[in-house]
C-alpha cells in the first residue's frame, strides 16, 4: 500500500482524503521513488570532469555531460553537478519537470545533505500539497529531519518564500507528518511533533491536552530537555512526583548542555525524590 493511501485511510479529515494534487505534485511523486533505492557507493575520482566542472559557466548541455561523467566514474561530485543544474534551470519558464528531476537526482547521490532537501522544499513551497509533502518527508533520513522541521512547518504558515498561509492545512500537515514518523519509528520526530501539539494546547489553556502530548513525547525517550522541563513543572503542580521523577531521570541520563536548565532539572528531581521518600 502506498504511503498516502495508508495515511488517508487512517485520516478522519475529509479535506485530507479529497485533496487533488497539482501538476507540480504529480511530477514530484512520480520522481520520488528513485529515492527508495539504496544510494550508490561513490568512491571514484574523474579528474577531467572535475576540471570541466570547476571551469563550467553556462552551457546546460555541457553540465549534463559533466554529471554523466561523474556518474560513470562514481565520483561524489555527481550530486553537486545535478544540484547546480537544478539551480540553473529552476527560474526558467517551462522547466519545472527538469528542475524537479535534477533535484531528485542530486538527492539520490547525496540524500544526507539537508541543504538539498531545503532547496527542494523551497521550490515545492509554491505549490504546497499535504500528501506530497508527506511523501517527501517519508524519504528524508531520520538524522536529517530535525534540520527540516521548520521548512515543512513553514509550508502553510505564511513563512515560506511563497507566503502560503492556510491554518487548516498547516494543522493537517503536522498531524500527517506525525503519523509518518509513527509508522516509521522515528522517535525524535514523534517527540518533536507532540511537543508542537503540547505548545499549542498550552497556549490555548488546555493543559490536559498538553499533558497528553507531553506524555507521548516523553514515551519516545527522545524528548528535548526544555519540553520535559515544562512537563515536569505541570506534573509537580498536580502532585505527580513519581511520574515527574521518571521523566527527569530519563532526560538527565543525557544531560542538557545548558547549565541553568540542567541544574533546574536536577533540583526538581531531588525535590521529587524527597517527596517520594516522605511517602507523598
Amino acid at each position: 500500500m502506498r504511503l498516502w493511501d495508508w495515511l488517508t485511510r487512517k485520516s478522519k479529515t475529509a479535506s485530507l482524503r479529497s485533496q487533488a494534487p497539482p501538476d507540480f505534485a504529480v511530477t514530484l511523486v512520480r520522481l520520488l521513488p528513485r529515492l527508495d533505492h539504496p544510494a550508490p557507493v561513490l568512491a571514484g575520482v574523474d579528474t577531467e570532469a572535475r576540471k570541466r566542472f570547476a571551469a563550467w559557466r553556462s552551457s546546460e548541455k555541457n553540465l549534463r555531460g559533466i554529471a554523466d561523467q561523474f556518474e560513470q566514474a562514481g565520483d561524489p561530485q555527481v550530486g553537486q553537478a545535478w544540484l547546480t543544474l537544478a539551480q540553473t534551470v529552476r527560474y526558467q519558464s517551462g522547466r519545472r519537470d527538469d528542475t524537479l528531476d535534477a533535484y531528485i537526482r542530486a538527492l539520490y547521490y547525496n540524500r544526507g545533505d539537508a541543504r538539498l532537501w531545503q532547496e527542494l522544499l523551497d521550490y515545492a513551497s509554491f505549490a504546497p500539497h499535504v500528501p506530497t509533502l508527506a511523501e517527501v518527508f517519508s524519504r528524508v533520513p531520520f538524522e536529517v529531519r530535525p534540520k527540516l522541521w521548520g521548512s515543512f512547518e513553514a509550508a502553510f504558515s505564511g513563512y515560506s518564500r511563497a507566503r502560503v498561509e492556510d491554518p487548516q492545512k498547516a494543522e493537517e500537515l503536522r498531524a500527517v507528518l506525525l503519523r509518518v514518523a509513527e509508522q516509521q519509528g522515528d522517535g525524535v520526530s514523534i517527540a518533536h511533533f507532540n511537543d508542537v501539539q503540547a505548545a499549542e494546547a498550552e497556549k490555548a489553556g488546555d493543559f490536559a491536552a498538553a499533558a497528553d502530548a507531553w506524555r507521548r513525547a516523553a514515551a519516545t525517550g527522545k524528548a528535548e530537555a526544555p519540553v520535559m522541563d515544562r512537563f515536569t513543572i505541570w506534573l509537580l503542580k498536580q502532585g505527580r512526583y513519581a511520574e515527574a521523577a521518571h521523566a527527569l531521570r530519563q532526560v538527565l541520563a543525557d544531560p542538557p548542555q545548558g547549565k541553568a536548565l540542567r541544574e533546574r532539572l536536577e533540583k526538581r528531581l531531588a525535590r521529587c525524590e524527597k517527596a517520594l521518600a516522605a511517602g507523598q
Side-chain angles (χ1 to χ4, degrees):
M1 181 182 294
R2 287 182 55 208
L3 170 69
W4 186 243
D5 293 334
W6 181 84
L7 288 169
T8 52
R9 184 170 61 84
K10 294 282 187 178
S11 176
K12 297 179 181 179
T13 307
S15 62
L16 191 62
R17 294 193 297 271
S18 62
Q19 287 187 48
D23 290 343
F24 180 101
V26 171
T27 299
L28 183 52
V29 170
R30 173 174 59 81
L31 294 169
L32 281 171
R34 184 182 184 94
L35 302 182
D36 296 335
H37 300 286
V41 176
L42 300 173
V45 175
D46 190 319
T47 304
E48 179 192 352
R50 290 193 177 200
K51 288 180 179 179
R52 290 180 63 198
F53 190 35
W56 178 84
R57 290 296 177 268
S58 60
S59 170
E60 180 186 333
K61 181 178 179 181
N62 288 344
L63 183 53
R64 286 182 177 275
I66 292 168
D68 288 341
Q69 275 189 258
F70 282 144
E71 183 174 23
Q72 292 170 11
D75 191 312
Q77 287 292 306
V78 62
Q80 182 60 45
W82 282 112
L83 172 60
T84 302
L85 180 60
Q87 293 169 332
T88 300
V89 303
R90 67 177 286 174
Y91 296 111
Q92 297 177 16
S93 179
R95 303 302 301 276
R96 178 199 65 206
D97 290 7
D98 291 334
T99 301
L100 288 172
D101 180 70
Y103 274 129
I104 297 302
R105 286 176 182 269
L107 284 165
Y108 173 67
Y109 292 108
N110 195 8
R111 64 199 71 181
D113 189 338
R115 175 190 54 162
L116 289 178
W117 290 104
Q118 286 168 340
E119 285 214 19
L120 177 63
L121 290 169
D122 176 65
Y123 193 57
S125 70
F126 289 93
H129 180 238
V130 173
T132 305
L133 290 171
E135 293 281 1
V136 172
F137 183 79
S138 72
R139 291 166 170 87
V140 179
F142 287 9
E143 65 274 13
V144 177
R145 288 178 181 179
K147 299 176 183 177
L148 301 175
W149 288 331
S151 296
F152 280 101
E153 291 164 353
F156 297 105
S157 68
Y159 290 101
S160 69
R161 283 209 317 135
R163 300 187 182 280
V164 175
E165 188 169 4
D166 188 328
Q168 179 180 345
K169 286 187 177 178
E171 184 178 351
E172 288 176 352
L173 179 60
R174 285 194 299 270
V176 167
L177 297 186
L178 173 57
R179 288 202 293 277
V180 173
E182 289 172 341
Q183 183 197 35
Q184 297 181 332
D186 175 10
V188 174
S189 291
I190 294 170
H192 168 75
F193 289 118
N194 275 296
D195 180 35
V196 172
Q197 289 183 0
E200 291 184 348
E202 189 179 15
K203 185 177 179 180
D206 188 349
F207 287 95
D212 287 342
W214 281 326
R215 284 193 178 94
R216 291 192 295 271
T220 67
K222 304 291 185 180
E224 296 184 359
V227 179
M228 292 298 94
D229 185 29
R230 297 198 304 279
F231 181 34
T232 53
I233 288 173
W234 181 84
L235 286 172
L236 260 65
K237 289 180 179 178
Q238 308 304 309
R240 299 175 180 268
Y241 295 103
E243 187 176 2
H246 176 73
L248 288 164
R249 292 189 190 101
Q250 186 179 68
V251 72
L252 287 169
D254 183 16
Q257 293 185 351
K259 181 180 179 181
L261 176 57
R262 184 176 67 252
E263 290 180 347
R264 186 163 68 247
L265 295 173
E266 289 171 344
K267 289 179 180 178
R268 194 171 302 140
L269 176 58
R271 178 183 170 188
C272 290
E273 290 173 338
K274 183 178 180 180
L276 290 170
Q280 292 187 23

